[in-house]
Amino acid sequence: MSVDSAVATFVDPQAGLRVSSRSGSGFAIEFDTDAAGSGRAGPSPMEALLSALAACTAMDVASILRKKRQGAVSYQIHVSGERSEDHPRVFTSIVVEHRLAGDVNPEAVRRSVELSATRYCPVSAMLSAVVPIEHRFRLMRDDDGEPVSGLVVTTGPG
């Protein structure tokens, strides 16, 4: 069994909501929210959660595409989440869209996204336990310039 850890410290407990966090491996992340009159120093914890999902699935998909010898020249992951109006304002749905360009086979992209969403990405697995996540892709191919896109899979409770 492996253990991950983090320590979060309030920057100024008397003002604002800025928190500095340090992972067990030594990396720092600054979190902040929209406190009245303050300049933000970092993402909110909920934005960071979406960023963690994007990073986790991106690492999986990029690794799988490399193994398949696919020539992506650009790759972005856009993640958006809808939140409830009532506290604790949890995500009620999340959409992950993988946006690629290059000499890449659409089926290779589809299968890579599917494997990340259903087998490899632990952040996706954790979030899928409580919220539906729609995994999509959009590919701009070198050969014809016409985008190829589609829904790969929806994961989540139920």
Side-chain angles (χ1 to χ4, degrees):
M1 174 188 290
S2 67
V3 175
D4 290 330
S5 64
V7 174
T9 305
F10 236 96
V11 173
D12 182 355
Q14 302 299 315
L17 296 174
R18 185 174 167 196
V19 173
S20 179
S21 178
R22 183 160 303 277
S23 68
S25 56
F27 294 94
I29 302 172
E30 298 289 319
F31 295 96
D32 209 344
T33 60
D34 293 326
S38 69
R40 288 192 58 183
S44 73
M46 295 300 274
E47 289 171 326
L49 189 60
L50 294 179
S51 292
L53 174 59
C56 181
T57 190
M59 290 174 183
D60 290 340
V61 171
S63 176
I64 295 166
L65 287 174
R66 283 185 199 127
K67 288 175 186 169
K68 292 176 178 278
R69 300 182 191 273
Q70 298 297 303
V73 294
S74 70
Y75 180 29
Q76 292 184 332
I77 299 82
H78 290 248
V79 180
S80 61
E82 289 188 21
R83 295 176 63 185
S84 67
E85 293 296 322
D86 299 326
H87 288 283
R89 305 219 39 240
V90 298
F91 288 116
T92 56
S93 67
I94 296 173
V95 175
V96 178
E97 184 177 66
H98 299 259
R99 298 178 184 176
L100 301 94
D103 185 21
V104 181
N105 181 303
E107 177 55 24
V109 174
R110 189 205 65 74
R111 182 65 177 144
S112 299
V113 170
E114 179 182 45
L115 285 169
S116 176
T118 61
R119 185 170 184 181
Y120 294 120
C121 177
V123 178
S124 182
M126 290 289 297
L127 289 172
S128 290
V130 295
V131 63
I133 304 175
E134 188 176 283
H135 303 267
R136 308 185 66 77
F137 78 94
R138 184 170 66 189
L139 171 63
M140 292 298 293
R141 298 197 52 190
D142 284 346
D143 56 2
D144 59 15
E146 291 295 318
V148 178
S149 62
L151 173 65
V152 175
V153 65
T154 300
T155 60

